[in-house]
Amino acid sequence: MRRFGIQWLALILLISGITGVLAVFSQKTPLKEKNGTSAKSAAEELKLLYHLGQKEISSPTKVTVKLQGERDLFSEQELDESARQLAQEMGLTTVRMEEDQEGKTYRARATVKGVSIRMDWVLAGNRSYAKIQLDASGEDRLSHMLELQEKGWNSMLNAGVTPEWNAAVQGNVSYEAPAVKTADFLEQSLDETLPLEMADSYEDTTTVSRSYHVPSLAFDARSGSESIHMQVAVHEDSMKKNNRITIGFPVITVEY
């Protein structure tokens, strides 16, 4: 599979409108699949990630899935048609086009059966980049998330975009220990389900982020010559008296 560099990761953040994430991964090459993994592997890993969230996080969990990929430059008319077709296949009826000196962006938003669906397609220079993002909270959303994830995967392929996959679960636990202690407990618990080896870590006064090798997982990101399969972050919120836990496969691309 093709690999995308730092420019691709920066564009993910641009079209997501997210700042302050990927602190640990800002110098890493992006996501890839192993051994031809596909929508089926993504479905299995989303199920696993969801159940890990249920096990490790006491509050209702938020689940985020992102499918993103690039396509060679094509005519503006074809870009318009492809973006609108992708939106339609995802059940998004209204597409907004924004244009500035950097290029064009097509955006569409909707909520279907409790799942927020966001589509962005950006034309930047001689490349175009597409992203579908799914967000949901609550215990009864997994089946619909899985359906939309498969639909998004196939729709992107139909549009000539080979999707890269990442997902995250996020929620709170009661404030019983500093972030670093919570991260230690979480690591021990996760290791019982997924044998893992720490690859990298980051820590400040309120946040701990750790990345791991987990060879049993199908998707990874590259850090030099190393493979990263899972990232865990704990953010300590002393005002709310809780710790926010985020678990991402293979990396976290949401704010934590």
Side-chain angles (χ1 to χ4, degrees), residues 13 34 57 68 97 108-109 118 131 152 177 200-201 241:
L13 301 185
K34 299 187 302 182
I57 300 171
Q68 61 244 340
M97 193 274 284
R109 308 284 187 265
R118 300 160 57 94
K131 178 175 75 71
D200 200 357
S201 65
K241 301 298 183 183

Side-chain angles (χ1 to χ4, degrees), residues 20-127:
V21 298
L22 293 179
V24 179
F25 295 91
S26 60
Q27 297 302 314
K28 299 185 180 350
T29 54
L31 319 177
K32 74 178 187 67
E33 303 167 276
K34 299 187 302 182
N35 303 324
T37 49
S38 60
K40 182 178 180 180
S41 297
E44 293 303 314
E45 298 212 348
L46 179 57
K47 292 176 188 177
L48 173 60
L49 182 62
Y50 182 85
H51 291 304
L52 289 176
Q54 287 189 311
K55 175 185 175 185
E56 305 296 345
I57 300 171
S58 56
S59 72
T61 56
K62 176 183 177 182
V63 184
T64 298
V65 170
K66 295 183 184 181
L67 298 167
Q68 61 244 340
E70 66 174 349
R71 176 175 165 175
D72 291 338
L73 178 66
F74 45 102
S75 70
E76 292 191 4
Q77 179 180 350
E78 188 178 0
L79 171 63
D80 183 275
E81 293 172 354
S82 296
R84 295 183 188 280
Q85 179 65 29
L86 179 59
Q88 182 179 13
E89 291 183 11
M90 293 303 299
L92 307 173
T93 57
T94 302
V95 180
R96 184 177 75 255
M97 193 274 284
E98 301 173 359
E99 188 170 10
D100 56 28
Q101 60 184 4
E102 301 297 329
K104 290 185 176 181
T105 302
Y106 289 83
R107 303 186 190 278
R109 308 284 187 265
T111 299
V112 180
K113 296 182 181 179
V115 178
S116 170
I117 309 171
R118 300 160 57 94
M119 185 218 74
D120 299 275
W121 201 322
V122 180
L123 181 63
N126 62 349
R127 308 293 291 175

Side-chain angles (χ1 to χ4, degrees), residues 149-223:
Q149 176 176 275
E150 182 177 11
K151 180 184 291 186
W153 190 290
N154 292 330
S155 295
M156 291 186 81
L157 289 176
N158 291 338
V161 178
T162 301
E164 304 278 345
W165 177 89
N166 70 89
V169 293
Q170 188 174 73
N172 298 323
V173 295
S174 59
Y175 183 79
E176 298 178 354
V180 65
K181 290 295 185 181
T182 301
D184 288 341
F185 296 147
L186 180 60
E187 181 178 305
Q188 294 172 9
S189 180
L190 290 171
D191 192 40
E192 295 175 0
T193 303
L194 293 171
L196 51 84
E197 178 185 354
M198 189 185 299
D200 200 357
S201 65
Y202 166 84
E203 182 179 339
D204 61 25
T205 55
T206 59
T207 303
V208 176
S209 174
R210 297 174 181 174
S211 55
Y212 299 94
H213 302 299
V214 189
S216 61
L217 296 178
F219 295 83
D220 69 357
R222 300 295 297 179
S223 174

Side-chain angles (χ1 to χ4, degrees), residues 134-145:
L134 310 174
D135 293 284
S137 299
E139 297 183 358
D140 58 345
R141 307 299 186 197
L142 178 60
S143 60
H144 191 47
M145 288 280 283

